[in-house]
Amino acid sequence: WEKTANNHLLNTKLMSFSSFLWGDSELSLRLPNVLSFILFAIGSFAIFRQSKNIYLIFLGACLIFLNPYLIEFFSLARGYGLSLAFMIMSIFFLIRYKNDQITPSIFLNNFIFSILFGSLAIYSNLTMINFFISLIIIFIIKYWLIIKKYTTQSYFNLKFFSVLLMSFIFLLLAIKRLLLLKKNDELYFGSSDFNKGLDSLINSSIYIDGASYWTSFYIKIIIAVLLITGVLFVILKKKFIGILSTLIILIVFILLGLFMENLIFGAKYPTERTALFYIPIVVIFIYQLFFEIIKHYELKKTYYIPIIACLVIPMLANFIVGVNFTNTKTWRRDTHTKDVMRIIRDSTQNINYKASISNYWYFQPSINYYTTTLKLNLLLADRSGVNLKSNFIYRHNDNTVLVDYNTISSYKDIKAELLIKK
């Protein structure tokens, strides 16, 4: 799997280290992402607490923590949770101070830490490449503003360009990796249509049955209206140098990058889990927009608390419906694989040969994981499909009558069943 898109580099290395220390249990292999949630939470609250408004902090926390689809990636052995945690920290240092409060020294510290966490984000998951490129461009703009405002010394310029050089090295390594994946036809996951990619992320985040289409439509309208409102607010109030304008520029650069890559290279737009990075960025933008408008117009609580409630209540209802401890939405078909393997363990523990299993291709990695970790008396599975010579069959969405097999267990929720040879 080394040269495939499933190899999320930093996550793979951290899983290896965790495996070396604590073995190959589910918790051990997922531990890097589980722990990264702590960093994600710290970064989120560090950003939201800057308003010192409990209602806005509550709004930001609800928007970012009450999305089960986003949160579940911190419980998986994939690179998405790590990349989100590092990205949120990178954004924190990007918008840590208002631009009129930034001195050359503060700017350098912010630049170093933002690029550091941005590099870790892109090393965790290459879908962060547009975020990282946008980050570099914004800091170059900030550098230009700093040298216009202050008389900087040579060591300042030396440090800046040293960090900038390092950021370009990280970027080139990421591009090299992308070219390798492209050569191996690994960049197949995504959408050829930006709108469909966005719909896929929104629909994946919705857990209330029957709410997908219209909810997706209204969410896109709300986001579009808020973005336009933010742009108009920045222009009309001449807040061209500030946190809100920085976030708008970040969003614009990321989107421009996606459109250019699609136009020039035919790259696919992020979809579902590869589009997860949209969520924290949009949430932070919404939070900052509310903060700036409330502060500028000195709005009373009676005006904005009902709006906050209208945003939070649907999120809370969706969270209550969606949160669970048995499955994830993306890989829901693996809900019962561990139970299946325990059944096979009980059925094969007294035989003096290794039994065989054939299966729907999707189940192969987890079947082999449990075969190894549970030390089953079972040959490793492959992806060749159902084989009528195998002792066990674990199939999905297949109602073919197999006279030589009996059904041991059936799972209607994922349309799967385990069969054993008579």
Side-chain angles (χ1 to χ4, degrees):
W1 296 89
E2 182 182 358
K3 295 181 180 180
T4 72
N6 286 298
N7 180 13
H8 300 168
L9 299 174
L10 181 59
N11 180 63
T12 301
K13 291 185 181 298
L14 290 175
M15 284 173 63
S16 178
F17 181 66
S18 187
S19 170
F20 174 76
L21 291 178
W22 296 294
D24 294 328
S25 69
E26 294 98 322
L27 178 59
S28 174
L29 298 182
R30 293 169 177 173
L31 191 59
N33 281 274
V34 173
L35 294 178
S36 73
F37 181 74
I38 299 172
L39 186 64
F40 182 77
I42 290 171
S44 299
F45 281 113
I47 291 171
F48 299 144
R49 69 185 292 273
Q50 293 183 75
S51 68
K52 299 179 181 178
N53 182 321
I54 189 64
Y55 300 103
L56 288 180
I57 295 172
F58 178 72
L59 170 65
C62 287
L63 290 179
I64 211 163
F65 293 124
L66 293 185
N67 186 327
Y69 185 66
L70 176 78
I71 299 304
E72 73 184 22
F73 282 91
F74 291 98
S75 68
L76 299 175
R78 306 279 286 188
Y80 299 106
L82 287 167
S83 63
L84 290 169
F86 293 132
M87 186 189 77
I88 210 84
M89 291 301 299
S90 182
I91 293 174
F92 168 68
F93 285 103
L94 174 66
I95 61 173
R96 190 179 177 191
Y97 294 102
K98 297 178 183 177
N99 285 353
D100 57 359
Q101 298 175 326
I102 296 178
T103 63
S105 176
I106 291 173
F107 168 79
L108 274 179
N109 287 334
N110 287 346
F111 182 43
I112 291 168
F113 283 107
S114 188
I115 289 296
L116 172 63
F117 284 112
S119 301
L120 291 171
I122 199 174
Y123 192 42
S124 300
N125 195 295
L126 287 175
T127 57
M128 292 291 173
I129 191 165
N130 284 291
F131 166 76
F132 191 67
I133 292 171
S134 303
L135 196 68
I136 294 171
I137 295 172
I138 291 172
F139 271 107
I140 290 174
I141 295 171
K142 285 177 175 285
Y143 168 77
W144 178 71
L145 294 173
I146 284 286
I147 61 174
K148 280 190 65 177
K149 184 177 180 180
Y150 295 95
T151 303
T152 57
Q153 298 180 4
S154 58
Y155 81 91
F156 170 81
N157 298 315
L158 179 63
K159 284 185 177 180
F160 172 79
F161 284 106
S162 296
V163 177
L164 186 63
L165 177 63
M166 289 300 298
S167 67
F168 280 125
I169 292 172
F170 283 124
L171 181 59
L172 288 173
L173 290 172
I175 292 173
K176 181 181 178 182
R177 175 72 181 172
L178 279 174
L179 291 174
L180 172 66
L181 295 179
K182 183 177 177 62
K183 179 182 177 182
N184 294 337
D185 295 322
E186 283 292 318
L187 302 181
Y188 54 84
F189 191 82
S191 173
S192 57
D193 183 278
F194 174 78
N195 189 52
K196 289 181 180 178
L198 187 58
D199 279 337
S200 71
L201 174 63
I202 295 172
N203 292 333
S204 295
S205 300
I206 297 170
Y207 287 74
I208 298 173
D209 291 338
S212 293
Y213 176 76
W214 287 108
T215 306
S216 177
F217 175 76
Y218 285 124
I219 287 175
K220 286 189 292 185
I221 293 296
I222 291 170
I223 293 173
V225 168
L226 289 174
L227 282 171
I228 293 169
T229 302
V231 171
L232 290 175
F233 180 79
V234 166
I235 294 172
L236 295 175
K237 301 306 174 183
K238 297 181 179 180
K239 294 180 177 291
F240 303 112
I241 302 174
I243 294 174
L244 183 62
S245 60
T246 299
L247 291 169
I248 292 172
I249 292 170
L250 177 64
I251 292 170
V252 169
F253 281 166
I254 288 174
L255 294 179
L256 280 176
L258 293 174
F259 291 131
M260 288 176 64
E261 288 163 6
N262 177 262
L263 182 65
I264 299 172
F265 304 108
K268 293 187 176 183
Y269 293 105
T271 182
E272 296 177 2
R273 59 186 181 272
T274 59
L276 279 171
F277 66 92
Y278 288 150
I279 297 175
I281 294 173
V282 171
V283 167
I284 294 168
F285 163 77
I286 293 172
Y287 156 83
Q288 189 64 32
L289 177 62
F290 271 67
F291 172 55
E292 300 255 359
I293 291 175
I294 289 169
K295 184 179 179 181
H296 182 82
Y297 293 105
E298 298 180 350
L299 296 179
K300 294 181 180 179
K301 297 175 185 177
T302 51
Y303 290 110
Y304 62 82
I305 288 180
I307 299 174
I308 291 175
C310 288
L311 292 173
V312 169
I313 290 172
M315 291 288 295
L316 182 60
N318 187 62
F319 181 80
I320 292 171
V321 170
V323 70
N324 71 88
F325 298 97
T326 60
N327 64 75
T328 64
K329 196 167 189 178
T330 303
W331 293 281
R332 192 164 182 263
R333 282 176 291 189
D334 259 328
T335 303
H336 304 291
T337 307
K338 188 173 185 178
D339 293 331
V340 166
M341 301 311 290
R342 284 171 170 167
I343 293 171
I344 292 175
R345 178 188 60 188
D346 295 339
S347 302
T348 59
Q349 59 185 355
N350 295 322
I351 63 175
N352 57 4
Y353 62 91
K354 282 190 177 290
S356 59
I357 184 171
S358 62
N359 48 275
Y360 178 61
W361 69 268
Y362 175 94
F363 299 124
Q364 182 254 346
S366 50
I367 285 175
N368 287 345
Y369 168 75
Y370 288 115
T371 298
T372 304
T373 56
L374 297 178
K375 296 180 172 59
L376 301 188
N377 203 6
L378 186 71
L379 296 170
L380 293 178
D382 57 36
R383 295 192 171 196
S384 59
V386 170
N387 182 346
L388 298 182
K389 294 181 180 180
S390 56
N391 301 105
F392 296 94
I393 295 175
Y394 186 34
R395 62 182 185 174
H396 167 71
N397 203 22
D398 184 351
N399 297 319
T400 306
V401 177
L402 302 178
V403 294
D404 294 332
Y405 287 85
N406 290 326
T407 299
I408 304 178
S409 188
S410 180
Y411 308 99
K412 294 181 180 180
D413 56 334
I414 60 169
K415 298 179 180 179
E417 60 181 352
L418 175 65
L419 299 93
I420 186 170
K421 200 173 186 66
K422 294 179 181 178

